Amino acid sequence: MTLALIVAAGSGERLRAARPKALVELGGRPMLQWSLDALASVAGIERIVLALPAGVALPPAMRMPAIEVRSVEGGAARSDSVARALAAAGEGDPVLVHDAARPLLTPQLARAVIDALERDPQAAAAIAAVPVTDTVKRVDGDGVVRETLDRRELWAVQTPQLFRRAALERALETSAQERARATDDAWLVERQGGRVIVVRAGEENLKVTTPIDLQLAELLLAARGARGGDPA
Ligand code: C5P
């Protein structure tokens, strides 16, 4: 049985909203509702754990799906929120981790990540990602370009990220400083030598960080609704 964790405990300062980012209204619902509904409809996912900001209750507008949903208080850093959600999750393996900040998640993408890990017994994790289309340069503190990276090897990583539970638990057992450095959980697994494979996702699975991202997400969800909910 696959467990799903949705991390939603960030404050979302860059969005400049009055409430935590995951609860900002998007397409007429709290942002978190989109990911919750998408994951609840994936066959094999039987429990979802939400990591919420301290002292924040789910708004009455949130609708709970038919499967079991638990809530925990998130931690100081993203990976702390993952660790807390996992500790409260009960049985289940593998473990899917998703950011509430990616409301355009489709059940199809979650399924593709689950299938990819099933197909590769050596892999510790399978993660959604897209090939980078921009040219990426390493720039020093003085604003001087030090290196141009080979774009053919670069992928921009998203969530969902799916882990074999033992690998994720071991990876999270690191110092608070390392957990604070981790912008994704797969990095913690890679550092321990775990094999992490990418699953090609779409650009539309964007991360809502700034007000422009929110507008874009709104437009994409409206377009999806106009197609009758078809996520393609
Ligand atoms: O801050 P960032 O946009 O990278 O956050 C990615 C995801 O991690 C968001 O869904 C956010 O709610 C979550 N998060 C969390 N706990 C934190 C920080 C971020 O659950 N302490």
Side-chain angles (χ1 to χ4, degrees), residues 52-229:
L52 299 172
V56 171
L58 286 175
M62 283 282 300
R63 284 176 291 98
M64 285 300 125
I67 68 167
E68 186 186 351
V69 178
R70 298 181 184 177
S71 299
V72 295
E73 200 171 281
R78 187 186 171 286
S79 290
D80 295 324
S81 297
V82 173
R84 282 175 177 234
L86 185 55
E91 279 180 14
D93 190 4
V95 181
L96 180 146
V97 181
H98 183 64
D99 288 352
R102 293 190 187 272
L104 281 118
L105 168 69
T106 60
Q108 289 82 349
L109 178 58
R111 192 68 241 167
V113 169
I114 293 170
D115 290 345
L117 192 65
E118 255 172 37
R119 276 196 307 268
D120 187 339
Q122 307 299 321
I127 64 177
V130 281
V132 164
T133 52
D134 289 326
T135 295
V136 180
K137 297 181 191 284
R138 194 189 310 281
V139 178
D140 70 16
D142 297 324
V144 177
V145 172
R146 292 297 170 201
E147 191 188 356
T148 297
L149 302 172
D150 183 351
R151 192 170 65 188
R152 291 169 302 179
E153 292 185 8
L154 297 178
W155 289 64
V157 163
Q158 306 177 343
T159 64
Q161 302 194 340
L162 184 76
F163 301 89
R164 301 206 191 275
R165 184 170 185 150
L168 180 60
E169 282 177 343
R170 215 176 315 117
L172 289 168
E173 272 168 21
T174 183
S175 65
Q177 288 95 316
E178 293 293 276
R179 282 205 300 273
R181 257 185 76 196
T183 51
D184 77 334
D185 307 294
W187 176 67
L188 296 171
V189 171
E190 291 151 41
R191 289 166 70 239
Q192 298 190 333
R195 174 180 161 93
V196 177
I197 56 174
V198 291
V199 175
R200 195 179 177 127
E203 306 272 343
E204 71 282 358
N205 184 32
L206 59 84
K207 182 167 159 205
V208 175
T209 305
T210 63
I212 285 183
D213 300 329
L214 193 64
Q215 286 178 10
L216 193 52
E218 192 91 48
L219 287 172
L220 290 168
L221 286 167
R224 187 190 285 178
R227 285 195 306 266

Side-chain angles (χ1 to χ4, degrees), residues 4 6 34-43 45 48 64-67 69:
I6 306 181
W34 294 98
S35 304
L36 184 61
D37 289 349
L39 290 175
S41 73
V42 176
I45 295 182
I48 299 178
M64 285 300 125
I67 68 167
V69 178

